[in-house]
Amino acid sequence: MAYDPDFGEWVREHFAALGPIEIKRMFGAGAAYAHGLIFALLDDGTVWLKVDELNAPLLQAAGSRQFTFPTKDGETMTMAYWSLPETALDDPEEAVGWARQSIDAALRKAAAKKPRKPKVKP
């Protein structure tokens, strides 16, 4: 995984209609945040959008590919991220539409999590 700051700037410009997004380094790649939640990973010039059961089939139908990586034991691991469709690479309006769906997926996932119990100090 590799993150290029110039690519991060392209992502900020391409997704400008979303409003301010934060990009942080994460595991050698980058993560794009909106509303405090990760909605995309940035790796080797690819935008990987967060998915759930609602938007994954749409991205698949648009020709996107799922984020996969090999494990130490030779298995292939998949993650809940799909590539930004190629048609959206030259169309910021389309890209923002896909990103909004990914932000919605991140919000749904966050809402489904059980709240953490507060730590009690002795």
Side-chain angles (χ1 to χ4, degrees):
M1 295 178 100
Y3 171 69
D4 175 4
D6 291 334
F7 181 60
E9 286 306 312
W10 178 86
V11 169
R12 274 195 182 88
E13 291 172 16
H14 205 60
F15 292 97
L18 291 174
I21 61 172
E22 187 176 4
I23 297 176
K24 297 179 184 178
R25 289 183 184 270
M26 184 176 86
F27 304 117
Y33 292 76
H35 310 292
L37 299 169
I38 297 175
F39 75 93
L41 301 177
L42 312 177
D43 182 44
D44 286 331
T46 301
V47 177
W48 298 97
L49 298 170
K50 186 169 199 64
V51 300
D52 63 8
E53 66 281 350
L54 297 180
N55 65 333
L58 301 173
L59 282 160
Q60 184 176 19
S64 295
R65 63 191 194 286
Q66 188 171 18
F67 187 96
T68 62
F69 62 94
T71 63
K72 292 178 184 176
D73 57 357
E75 299 290 320
T76 299
M77 188 74 155
T78 60
M79 291 182 63
Y81 290 87
W82 285 68
S83 61
L84 180 68
E86 285 194 33
T87 55
L89 295 175
D90 294 324
D91 185 345
E93 189 174 321
E94 180 185 350
V96 165
W98 289 114
R100 284 192 174 118
Q101 290 182 37
S102 292
I103 292 167
D104 289 345
L107 289 167
R108 285 188 294 270
K109 183 174 181 179
K113 285 185 177 179
K114 292 181 181 180
R116 291 184 179 179
K117 292 182 181 179
K119 292 181 181 181
V120 179
K121 293 184 180 181

